[in-house]
Amino acid sequence: MKREPIVEDLLSASVEMQVLERSKPSVEKQTKKILEVLPDGEVICPKCGGSNCWKRGNREGGRKEYSCKECKKFFIVYPLVDKEGRDIKCPECNSRNYKLDGRVGDKRRYKCHDCHRKYILNPFGRDDVNNFNCRWCGSKKHHKKGLDSKTKRQKCYCLDCKKQFTLGAERPDVLDAPEDFDFDHDVWTTDHLGYDRGIHYHNKMNFSYIQQPWLKHYFKKYILYLSSTRLAFSTLNGKISGAKIFSEFLNEIGFNQGFENINRDLVIQYLAYLKTNHYSYSQHTHCISTLKTFFETGILNHWFNIEPALIRPEDWLKKTRRLPRFIPEEVMTQINQHIDSLPKPVMRMVLIDMECGFRIGELTRLKLDCLKSNGKEGWYIQYQMYKMNKEHTKPISNELAQVIQEQQSYIKQLFGNSFPYLFSGRARQRSDEFIPEPKIMTGQSFINHIKRLAQQFEIKDQSGKLWNFQTHQFRHTVGTRMINAGVPQHIIQRYLGHESPEMTMVYAHIFDETLRKEVEKYHESRVVNFQGETAELDETILSSNDDLEWFKKNVQARALEHGYCARPKVLGDCDIPGFDGCYNCPHWRTNKNFLPILRDTLERTNNVLEKAQNCGWQLQVHKNTPIKENLEKVIKTLEAENDQ
C-alpha cells in the first residue's frame, strides 16, 4: 500500500509526537502513547500499527488529526515540542502526557495527565527553575522573585547563600570574586579596597564589561587611585559604568589602537554617539566627566600620553533646572491618616524621615544610640553622612525623641545589644507580615511598604493620580516646608547637611503664594544707589544687639530728605555741600518711598538745565547734567518695580 508522507513544514521527521486515539470523530478515547515516527516522516496508527494513514486537518495548538485506512480509526497527534522548539513536559514530574488548558496572555497553558499540574512553557525558564543551580553557590534551594523589568528574565533568590540571580543572564563568568585582592581579576569587592559593605548591597565592582585590555588596565589603576582618596564605593561603580559606555562606543567603531591615537576627533564622535543613543542629560554629563577626569589623572601620573584638554567646556549639555520632587501637602495628609496601618518599625521610620529629611542610607543605618540629649530637655539625633563621609547632628522635637526611644526598646527586646542599628530588615517571605531579622533594611523594602499603603488606601494627588512614592521625596519635602515657613536658606543648608547653597536650592521650592508675598516685601524695601543699581543690605547684620551696635558705630546711616547716607565713619564726616551732591555720591541710598521727591528734583533740574543751555551757562550745564542722568536711572529703576 502506498504510504502518504507528512508535509515537512507541519511535522518534522525527527520530532516525537503524542497520540490520542478515537474510534469516531464524535467520541474521543483518551489513549496516551508515544508515536514512533518513521525515517521518511510517516505516521503509524497507535491502534493497529499500520502506516497507511492520511491527514484529515489541523487542530488548535499544533495538533494534527489523522485517519487510519486499515482499521478505520481516527486519532489526533499532539506535538511534544512547541513552535519554538521547547520540549512540552511537566516541570514537576517530567511527564509528556498532557492536554491543552487554554491560554494565559499570549502563552499556551498545559495540564499534566499524571500529576495534574498546570504549567506554561516560558522562553526564560520560569517553569524550569528547579533545573537551574544558583550561579553563586550551586544550590538548588531557591524560589522565584518575578521577572526582571528590563530583560524579562526570571529572577531567583537562593535560600542558602541569600543572594539573588537571574536565569540566562548574559554576564561574564567572573562574578565570583577571589578572597584576596588580585589586580588582574575583573571583580573587586569592598573588602579588597577597605570599604564598609554598601547600604544598597553594592559591595562589588566588575570590570568585565570594559572590552579593550589597554583601557581596562589603566581604568583599574584609576579606580585604585580614587579609592585611596576614600571616594564613595558607589561613586567608583558609577565611573566604571561610564567607562563601559565608552568601551561599547570604541567596540562599535572598531577602535583598538591604544591611547596614543585618541584625539579630539574621536571625542567628537563619542559625543555624537551619546546623543544618537538618546542618553539623558545626567548620563551624558556623567560619561564625559568620567572620561575627562580619567584622562587628566592618567596624564598627571604619566600613565599614558594623549592630547591635553580633549574634553572642553562646550561639550557639556546646557543644564536644565530640576524641579524638586516634594510630596504635596494633600498627599502628606493622607499618609498621616493611614500611617498606623504600616508595621510599627516602618511607621517610626516614616515619622523620622518626615521631620528630619534623611537620605535613605542615613535613615536605614541610624545607630541604636543615635538619640542624644543636650542637657536642657532638648534632643538631637546623631548620624553618619555617608555621602560626605562625616558625622552630623540635627535637633529634633520631643515627640520624635519619644518615637526613637520606642524603637530602641523594640530592637533591644528582639536582639539585645548585639544589633547596632535602630531599624532592622524583615525575613523574606511571600506574605506582607513584618518578621524582623537582625539585618539592615534596604531602601527598596522601606519604600515598598509605603507604596503598598498608597495602593491599599488609594493615596492620590489633586489630579486623582495614585502617588508614586520615592525615598528621596521626603528630603525634598522637608526642604520645601522649611523655606516656605520662612527659615533662612543657610539654616536649611545646615539642617540638611549640604556642602554648598547650590545643593540646598535644588530642594527649596517656594509655593506661589509665599513667592508673591516675598516679592512684594522685596519691592517695598529694595534700596538702590545713585546709579539705579540694587544695593543689598543683609538683614542678618541686624540680627543681634552686638551687630546693631557695630552698625551704629561704623556706618553713619544719616537720614536725608531723599534717602539716607551709608558713608562709613572711618572715612570721616561728609564734605559734600547740600543735598544735590548726594546724587553723584556712591554712599547715597534711596527706595521707592522717595519717588515723589526724586521726580520733583528731576523736574527742577531739567528746568535749570534748559535755562542754562539757553543762556550759555556752561558751568551750570556741566554741573547739573550728571545729576539729571543719575536721577533718571534711579527713577526708571524704582518705577519699573512699581509696575511689577
Side-chain angles (χ1 to χ4, degrees), residues 526-545:
R526 188 183 182 199
V527 176
V528 297
N529 61 15
F530 75 110
Q531 291 289 330
E533 300 167 341
T534 300
E536 298 291 344
L537 180 62
D538 194 347
E539 291 182 0
T540 57
I541 67 172
L542 304 178
S543 58
S544 67
N545 289 334

Side-chain angles (χ1 to χ4, degrees), residues 173-432:
D173 298 327
V174 294
L175 290 177
D176 286 325
E179 184 176 348
D180 298 323
F181 175 72
D182 182 3
F183 181 86
D184 294 328
H185 200 279
D186 283 346
V187 178
W188 297 355
T189 66
T190 50
D191 295 333
H192 292 157
L193 301 179
Y195 285 87
D196 293 332
R197 265 189 171 273
I199 57 175
H200 304 292
Y201 298 99
H202 293 166
N203 64 323
K204 187 178 297 184
M205 56 177 62
N206 186 5
F207 295 91
S208 299
Y209 300 106
I210 305 177
Q211 304 172 43
Q212 295 76 18
W214 50 273
L215 179 62
K216 181 190 296 185
H217 174 80
Y218 285 105
F219 206 84
K220 283 183 176 181
K221 294 185 69 172
Y222 173 62
I223 293 297
L224 196 61
Y225 166 75
L226 292 181
S227 69
S228 65
T229 65
R230 309 314 296 166
L231 205 62
F233 194 81
S234 58
T235 304
L236 300 183
N237 255 327
K239 292 187 178 297
I240 295 175
S241 300
K244 173 191 171 184
I245 295 174
F246 183 62
S247 175
E248 291 172 350
F249 159 72
L250 295 179
N251 188 59
E252 183 173 306
I253 65 173
F255 182 92
N256 196 22
Q257 304 170 29
F259 288 102
E260 60 275 6
N261 291 307
I262 293 180
N263 52 31
R264 179 63 181 171
D265 290 338
L266 184 69
V267 172
I268 293 174
Q269 291 184 55
Y270 182 49
L271 296 175
Y273 172 82
L274 295 176
K275 185 175 182 180
T276 54
N277 284 274
H278 305 292
Y279 284 95
S280 65
Y281 167 81
S282 59
Q283 290 174 317
H284 184 280
T285 302
H286 172 71
C287 288
I288 61 175
S289 62
T290 297
L291 200 61
K292 180 177 184 294
T293 53
F294 171 57
F295 286 163
E296 291 174 349
T297 304
I299 293 173
L300 290 174
N301 290 280
H302 305 289
W303 295 341
F304 44 75
N305 291 319
I306 58 173
E307 297 179 22
L310 287 176
I311 309 293
R312 299 173 184 174
E314 60 268 21
D315 296 337
W316 268 262
L317 296 177
K318 184 178 180 181
K319 187 174 182 180
T320 56
R321 181 175 176 82
R322 293 184 299 162
L323 291 176
R325 297 168 292 164
F326 67 93
I327 303 174
E329 289 301 321
E330 67 272 11
V331 176
M332 293 294 288
T333 301
Q334 296 175 69
I335 296 177
N336 289 324
Q337 290 173 351
H338 305 296
I339 196 171
D340 292 337
S341 300
L342 290 169
K344 294 297 182 183
V346 180
M347 179 192 71
R348 297 182 188 118
M349 291 182 76
V350 174
L351 291 173
I352 292 175
D353 215 13
M354 280 182 175
E355 180 171 326
C356 298
F358 285 122
R359 300 178 181 93
I360 186 59
E362 299 166 354
L363 177 65
T364 57
R365 302 187 78 181
L366 282 173
K367 297 293 185 181
L368 187 61
D369 59 349
C370 63
L371 187 62
K372 306 295 180 183
S373 173
N374 63 1
K376 299 178 182 179
E377 299 182 355
W379 296 95
Y380 289 83
I381 188 167
Q382 181 177 322
Y383 63 100
Q384 181 72 19
M385 294 173 56
Y386 294 96
K387 185 175 182 179
M388 311 299 179
N389 197 24
K390 65 180 181 180
E391 278 193 341
H392 193 63
T393 59
K394 63 176 64 176
I396 60 174
S397 63
N398 292 334
E399 293 78 12
L400 189 62
Q402 185 177 353
V403 171
I404 295 175
Q405 289 169 345
E406 291 175 359
Q407 181 64 19
Q408 288 174 329
S409 301
Y410 172 83
I411 291 294
K412 289 178 180 179
Q413 184 178 357
L414 287 172
F415 311 119
N417 293 321
S418 60
F419 188 67
Y421 297 101
L422 184 62
F423 298 105
S424 67
R426 73 182 185 106
R428 289 180 179 267
Q429 69 276 335
R430 296 188 181 275
S431 67
D432 293 336

